[in-house]
Amino acid sequence: MVRKFSVKGLRSPSLLIDMILSDAKDDILIVETDGEEQIKDIENLLKKYNLKYEVEGNVVKIHVGEIKADKSINVVGATCPGPIMMVSDMLSKMKNGEILEIICGKNALTDLTEGLKGMGNEIISVEEKEDGTYRILVKKGEKKEEEKATVKIDELFIINTTGTGNAEKAYSTFMMADVALKMNLKPTIFLMMDGASLALKGECDKVKHPAFPKLGDLVRDILKKGVKVYVCELSAEFRGINEKNLEDGFEIAGAPTFLNYLSKPNVRPVWL
Amino acid sequence: MEQVITLISLSVIFGAMLSGFATFRLTGMRLMPHFISLILAFLLTLASLIIPNSIVFYLAIIFQILSALTICPTICNILKTQFQNTGIYSAHLALMGMLLVLAIGNALGIR
């Protein structure tokens, strides 16, 4: 069961959480806090009980015991768009609030978490298993109709379709991401079609225009600054690119991730 | 007749230099060895038309063959990972194929 509550304004939130934990069994507790001080207090308590937890901003997610899923699906080995189709089909037969356990490979991880969130579901937890697969727990939800309002564009989705074959566009992709960061716009890069060639290990280091630094250096700098670089799974497969020869820091993703970004109202796509 | 083949080779090289320069700019100047050997092949082929010297003649043929061979690794990579854009390289590729055949024919003295 997933339980949500707020401890905002409490001086010692750990006292309340201790009480809740005493009757919690196989639960996930989502605790909304005021910030750092309350989080520290809660963390001390959780360490004492040796409980697993995650902190996302001002929210603490506490895992108590093992959550029992209502249904389970294994999509290991399936490639894009297979996993999201199989999972969506399964979710369509479930009721709101029910929990689905998904076992998937690394290739489908981003697609499933991003895609399912975009569809209005809640990702409860993501765990890496010993065999290299992932276990995702997702709570079925529904996409809420958003009221029409003025939305501030604060993210750029830079899509490269030409790769190293067009050096100018390759440079622009990463330089634009750097400029966006300076302008407080969050950039995300998506490489598809020939753009996937940029994801081949060492390929960016082969591109050097006399007037600019080596493309590889630019890419590493952008990754260091925390910019996500996704590579279309289908395009990568067409070009023999996989986890083994993928450039460090790049992530394989598919159509759900791509479409999820394009459907966000605060995101502006830039095609290169 | 040999001079005619050499003249055809010269015109193929000149055409390849023009189409090659476009791809050279596009790929971020990645094919420097190929471009240098193409320029040398052009100069030596031109010289072999003017100077009747067998060393210049065979040097021209060597650089014509080298020009075609130096493009192979990059083109193989482009065909593997950037096949959506291969159209822009096709004119240069065709001229390189022709140059290789002409160079071998010239070296074997085919008339």
Side-chain angles (χ1 to χ4, degrees), chain B residues 35-57:
Chain B
F35 208 56
I36 290 169
S37 69
L38 197 60
I39 291 169
L40 286 173
F42 177 75
L43 294 173
L44 287 162
T45 310
L46 187 65
S48 73
L49 274 173
I50 303 162
I51 310 161
N53 182 318
S54 58
I55 295 173
V56 177
F57 175 73

mmCIF file of all heavy atoms in Angstrom, chain B residues 35-57:
data_model
loop_
_atom_site.group_PDB
_atom_site.id
_atom_site.type_symbol
_atom_site.label_atom_id
_atom_site.label_comp_id
_atom_site.label_asym_id
_atom_site.label_seq_id
_atom_site.Cartn_x
_atom_site.Cartn_y
_atom_site.Cartn_z
ATOM 1 N N PHE B 35 41.937 14.005 -48.978
ATOM 2 C CA PHE B 35 41.909 15.256 -49.739
ATOM 3 C C PHE B 35 43.311 15.642 -50.220
ATOM 4 O O PHE B 35 43.492 16.082 -51.355
ATOM 5 C CB PHE B 35 41.304 16.374 -48.866
ATOM 6 C CG PHE B 35 40.625 17.443 -49.665
ATOM 7 C CD1 PHE B 35 39.603 17.123 -50.549
ATOM 8 C CD2 PHE B 35 40.996 18.764 -49.554
ATOM 9 C CE1 PHE B 35 38.972 18.095 -51.303
ATOM 10 C CE2 PHE B 35 40.376 19.752 -50.298
ATOM 11 C CZ PHE B 35 39.354 19.426 -51.168
ATOM 12 N N ILE B 36 44.307 15.419 -49.362
ATOM 13 C CA ILE B 36 45.698 15.733 -49.744
ATOM 14 C C ILE B 36 46.138 14.819 -50.899
ATOM 15 O O ILE B 36 46.723 15.291 -51.886
ATOM 16 C CB ILE B 36 46.647 15.599 -48.519
ATOM 17 C CG1 ILE B 36 46.350 16.729 -47.528
ATOM 18 C CG2 ILE B 36 48.118 15.623 -48.936
ATOM 19 C CD1 ILE B 36 47.000 16.579 -46.178
ATOM 20 N N SER B 37 45.844 13.530 -50.784
ATOM 21 C CA SER B 37 46.262 12.608 -51.856
ATOM 22 C C SER B 37 45.532 12.922 -53.159
ATOM 23 O O SER B 37 46.090 12.757 -54.247
ATOM 24 C CB SER B 37 46.059 11.155 -51.442
ATOM 25 O OG SER B 37 44.705 10.862 -51.368
ATOM 26 N N LEU B 38 44.306 13.423 -53.056
ATOM 27 C CA LEU B 38 43.545 13.793 -54.254
ATOM 28 C C LEU B 38 44.186 15.014 -54.944
ATOM 29 O O LEU B 38 44.323 15.044 -56.173
ATOM 30 C CB LEU B 38 42.093 14.106 -53.852
ATOM 31 C CG LEU B 38 41.044 14.116 -54.949
ATOM 32 C CD1 LEU B 38 40.952 12.758 -55.636
ATOM 33 C CD2 LEU B 38 39.676 14.469 -54.385
ATOM 34 N N ILE B 39 44.622 15.983 -54.154
ATOM 35 C CA ILE B 39 45.280 17.177 -54.719
ATOM 36 C C ILE B 39 46.609 16.774 -55.374
ATOM 37 O O ILE B 39 46.922 17.202 -56.497
ATOM 38 C CB ILE B 39 45.494 18.253 -53.623
ATOM 39 C CG1 ILE B 39 44.141 18.826 -53.191
ATOM 40 C CG2 ILE B 39 46.401 19.373 -54.116
ATOM 41 C CD1 ILE B 39 44.196 19.701 -51.947
ATOM 42 N N LEU B 40 47.359 15.900 -54.675
ATOM 43 C CA LEU B 40 48.649 15.444 -55.240
ATOM 44 C C LEU B 40 48.420 14.653 -56.534
ATOM 45 O O LEU B 40 49.163 14.801 -57.508
ATOM 46 C CB LEU B 40 49.401 14.591 -54.222
ATOM 47 C CG LEU B 40 50.028 15.373 -53.054
ATOM 48 C CD1 LEU B 40 50.603 14.429 -52.017
ATOM 49 C CD2 LEU B 40 51.119 16.324 -53.552
ATOM 50 N N ALA B 41 47.377 13.815 -56.535
ATOM 51 C CA ALA B 41 47.057 13.046 -57.741
ATOM 52 C C ALA B 41 46.726 13.994 -58.892
ATOM 53 O O ALA B 41 47.140 13.773 -60.048
ATOM 54 C CB ALA B 41 45.871 12.119 -57.458
ATOM 55 N N PHE B 42 45.998 15.069 -58.591
ATOM 56 C CA PHE B 42 45.634 16.050 -59.619
ATOM 57 C C PHE B 42 46.888 16.712 -60.197
ATOM 58 O O PHE B 42 47.057 16.776 -61.417
ATOM 59 C CB PHE B 42 44.708 17.113 -59.019
ATOM 60 C CG PHE B 42 44.330 18.207 -59.988
ATOM 61 C CD1 PHE B 42 43.397 17.963 -60.995
ATOM 62 C CD2 PHE B 42 44.904 19.469 -59.919
ATOM 63 C CE1 PHE B 42 43.054 18.962 -61.899
ATOM 64 C CE2 PHE B 42 44.572 20.465 -60.815
ATOM 65 C CZ PHE B 42 43.639 20.212 -61.813
ATOM 66 N N LEU B 43 47.792 17.148 -59.318
ATOM 67 C CA LEU B 43 49.015 17.840 -59.764
ATOM 68 C C LEU B 43 49.896 16.892 -60.586
ATOM 69 O O LEU B 43 50.427 17.265 -61.645
ATOM 70 C CB LEU B 43 49.785 18.395 -58.559
ATOM 71 C CG LEU B 43 49.079 19.513 -57.775
ATOM 72 C CD1 LEU B 43 49.852 19.872 -56.521
ATOM 73 C CD2 LEU B 43 48.877 20.762 -58.647
ATOM 74 N N LEU B 44 50.052 15.648 -60.104
ATOM 75 C CA LEU B 44 50.918 14.685 -60.807
ATOM 76 C C LEU B 44 50.298 14.257 -62.143
ATOM 77 O O LEU B 44 51.016 14.068 -63.133
ATOM 78 C CB LEU B 44 51.164 13.463 -59.917
ATOM 79 C CG LEU B 44 52.109 13.719 -58.730
ATOM 80 C CD1 LEU B 44 51.973 12.647 -57.668
ATOM 81 C CD2 LEU B 44 53.558 13.798 -59.219
ATOM 82 N N THR B 45 48.982 14.113 -62.179
ATOM 83 C CA THR B 45 48.322 13.731 -63.437
ATOM 84 C C THR B 45 48.467 14.862 -64.459
ATOM 85 O O THR B 45 48.753 14.608 -65.647
ATOM 86 C CB THR B 45 46.820 13.419 -63.185
ATOM 87 O OG1 THR B 45 46.726 12.521 -62.106
ATOM 88 C CG2 THR B 45 46.158 12.806 -64.403
ATOM 89 N N LEU B 46 48.310 16.079 -63.986
ATOM 90 C CA LEU B 46 48.488 17.246 -64.867
ATOM 91 C C LEU B 46 49.931 17.297 -65.378
ATOM 92 O O LEU B 46 50.182 17.507 -66.584
ATOM 93 C CB LEU B 46 48.151 18.524 -64.082
ATOM 94 C CG LEU B 46 48.119 19.836 -64.867
ATOM 95 C CD1 LEU B 46 47.001 19.822 -65.909
ATOM 96 C CD2 LEU B 46 47.928 21.028 -63.937
ATOM 97 N N ALA B 47 50.866 17.037 -64.456
ATOM 98 C CA ALA B 47 52.291 17.057 -64.839
ATOM 99 C C ALA B 47 52.601 15.961 -65.840
ATOM 100 O O ALA B 47 53.384 16.167 -66.792
ATOM 101 C CB ALA B 47 53.152 16.903 -63.584
ATOM 102 N N SER B 48 51.990 14.777 -65.646
ATOM 103 C CA SER B 48 52.285 13.659 -66.566
ATOM 104 C C SER B 48 51.769 13.927 -67.980
ATOM 105 O O SER B 48 52.231 13.323 -68.947
ATOM 106 C CB SER B 48 51.714 12.357 -66.018
ATOM 107 O OG SER B 48 50.323 12.360 -66.146
ATOM 108 N N LEU B 49 50.794 14.819 -68.092
ATOM 109 C CA LEU B 49 50.299 15.194 -69.437
ATOM 110 C C LEU B 49 51.288 16.134 -70.133
ATOM 111 O O LEU B 49 51.397 16.137 -71.358
ATOM 112 C CB LEU B 49 48.940 15.898 -69.317
ATOM 113 C CG LEU B 49 47.698 15.020 -69.260
ATOM 114 C CD1 LEU B 49 46.475 15.873 -68.967
ATOM 115 C CD2 LEU B 49 47.490 14.249 -70.547
ATOM 116 N N ILE B 50 51.987 16.929 -69.327
ATOM 117 C CA ILE B 50 52.910 17.934 -69.877
ATOM 118 C C ILE B 50 54.329 17.358 -70.016
ATOM 119 O O ILE B 50 54.977 17.511 -71.042
ATOM 120 C CB ILE B 50 52.927 19.202 -68.966
ATOM 121 C CG1 ILE B 50 51.503 19.760 -68.836
ATOM 122 C CG2 ILE B 50 53.868 20.269 -69.527
ATOM 123 C CD1 ILE B 50 51.305 20.705 -67.665
ATOM 124 N N ILE B 51 54.767 16.631 -68.953
ATOM 125 C CA ILE B 51 56.147 16.094 -68.972
ATOM 126 C C ILE B 51 56.110 14.610 -69.362
ATOM 127 O O ILE B 51 55.492 13.804 -68.644
ATOM 128 C CB ILE B 51 56.806 16.244 -67.576
ATOM 129 C CG1 ILE B 51 56.640 17.680 -67.045
ATOM 130 C CG2 ILE B 51 58.291 15.849 -67.599
ATOM 131 C CD1 ILE B 51 56.821 17.813 -65.556
ATOM 132 N N PRO B 52 56.776 14.226 -70.433
ATOM 133 C CA PRO B 52 56.772 12.795 -70.799
ATOM 134 C C PRO B 52 57.806 12.009 -69.969
ATOM 135 O O PRO B 52 58.881 11.676 -70.444
ATOM 136 C CB PRO B 52 57.135 12.818 -72.291
ATOM 137 C CG PRO B 52 57.845 14.102 -72.497
ATOM 138 C CD PRO B 52 57.488 15.053 -71.426
ATOM 139 N N ASN B 53 57.477 11.782 -68.717
ATOM 140 C CA ASN B 53 58.400 11.110 -67.802
ATOM 141 C C ASN B 53 57.648 9.966 -67.123
ATOM 142 O O ASN B 53 56.582 10.181 -66.536
ATOM 143 C CB ASN B 53 58.895 12.149 -66.767
ATOM 144 C CG ASN B 53 59.903 11.569 -65.787
ATOM 145 O OD1 ASN B 53 59.736 10.464 -65.303
ATOM 146 N ND2 ASN B 53 60.944 12.336 -65.512
ATOM 147 N N SER B 54 58.249 8.745 -67.186
ATOM 148 C CA SER B 54 57.516 7.587 -66.650
ATOM 149 C C SER B 54 57.402 7.635 -65.117
ATOM 150 O O SER B 54 56.434 7.109 -64.553
ATOM 151 C CB SER B 54 58.171 6.286 -67.102
ATOM 152 O OG SER B 54 59.509 6.249 -66.688
ATOM 153 N N ILE B 55 58.382 8.245 -64.438
ATOM 154 C CA ILE B 55 58.295 8.329 -62.962
ATOM 155 C C ILE B 55 57.074 9.175 -62.562
ATOM 156 O O ILE B 55 56.276 8.784 -61.706
ATOM 157 C CB ILE B 55 59.601 8.934 -62.356
ATOM 158 C CG1 ILE B 55 60.761 7.984 -62.626
ATOM 159 C CG2 ILE B 55 59.448 9.175 -60.849
ATOM 160 C CD1 ILE B 55 62.121 8.519 -62.244
ATOM 161 N N VAL B 56 56.933 10.316 -63.218
ATOM 162 C CA VAL B 56 55.779 11.195 -62.936
ATOM 163 C C VAL B 56 54.479 10.448 -63.266
ATOM 164 O O VAL B 56 53.495 10.488 -62.506
ATOM 165 C CB VAL B 56 55.884 12.518 -63.743
ATOM 166 C CG1 VAL B 56 54.660 13.400 -63.527
ATOM 167 C CG2 VAL B 56 57.146 13.279 -63.378
ATOM 168 N N PHE B 57 54.483 9.726 -64.369
ATOM 169 C CA PHE B 57 53.302 8.974 -64.824
ATOM 170 C C PHE B 57 52.874 7.936 -63.769
ATOM 171 O O PHE B 57 51.704 7.875 -63.369
ATOM 172 C CB PHE B 57 53.636 8.302 -66.172
ATOM 173 C CG PHE B 57 52.541 7.404 -66.679
ATOM 174 C CD1 PHE B 57 51.366 7.934 -67.200
ATOM 175 C CD2 PHE B 57 52.680 6.014 -66.638
ATOM 176 C CE1 PHE B 57 50.363 7.095 -67.672
ATOM 177 C CE2 PHE B 57 51.673 5.185 -67.102
ATOM 178 C CZ PHE B 57 50.519 5.728 -67.633
#
